[in-house]
Amino acid sequence: MHAGRPNPAQWLWYAYGGGLPPALSDWVLDDTTRRSWVVRHLLRALAQLAPVVLLCLLVPPVPFGFRLTAAGGGLAIGLLFSLAYMTETTEHRAVKAGWPPGTTARRRDERAERDRLERGARYRSNGAGSFD
């Protein structure tokens, strides 16, 4: 049963670490385990960093070059920190949505194994069903 996607307000809440309704738990698992899960994680991190970067660009009474450098450095450090903890963060999101711990890692491993088999399938011999 697929309940769809969160609306923009729900997604923003989710991006900032909030929980989604139980009807969207399948979407959360898909969001944290699909092939593009790293890109999706980085988009959530950018959504979290955007207000801070904007404040850094607009508020300090220093030349714009300084503000731009500070905002760029903060963005780079924030994204690096986010990348360092992305597996733990996505696992936490899935657990918060009601999935048992370890589900995201198991699902990604299953997908990697399927992909490995499919890559090797073009070299199979004796027809379509053989893995000789």
Side-chain angles (χ1 to χ4, degrees):
M1 182 171 155
H2 192 272
R5 321 174 32 92
N7 63 43
Q10 287 175 320
W11 185 87
L12 200 57
W13 175 252
Y14 171 72
Y16 278 90
L20 291 175
L24 292 173
S25 65
D26 288 341
W27 181 86
V28 171
L29 184 63
D30 185 56
D31 179 59
T32 57
T33 59
R34 62 175 40 205
R35 284 186 192 353
S36 60
W37 74 277
V38 173
V39 173
R40 296 167 78 86
H41 174 78
L42 289 174
L43 289 174
R44 287 190 300 272
L46 284 173
Q48 293 173 357
L49 292 168
V52 177
V53 169
L54 283 175
L55 284 174
C56 189
L57 287 172
L58 300 175
V59 173
V62 296
F64 185 73
F66 293 163
R67 291 181 279 165
L68 187 62
T69 302
L75 184 63
I77 289 171
L79 289 176
L80 283 172
F81 186 85
S82 180
L83 281 171
Y85 292 100
M86 72 181 162
T87 54
E88 292 86 356
T89 302
T90 54
E91 180 68 28
H92 178 71
R93 287 179 186 278
V95 169
K96 189 187 292 187
W99 294 96
T103 303
T104 58
R106 187 170 43 258
R107 191 170 240 205
R108 286 186 206 120
D109 289 345
E110 289 168 358
R111 188 192 67 237
E113 180 63 19
R114 266 194 325 272
D115 290 348
R116 187 188 67 73
L117 286 173
E118 288 174 6
R119 274 193 312 275
R122 62 184 143 181
Y123 302 110
R124 291 185 285 177
S125 60
N126 299 329
S130 174
F131 282 92
D132 295 332

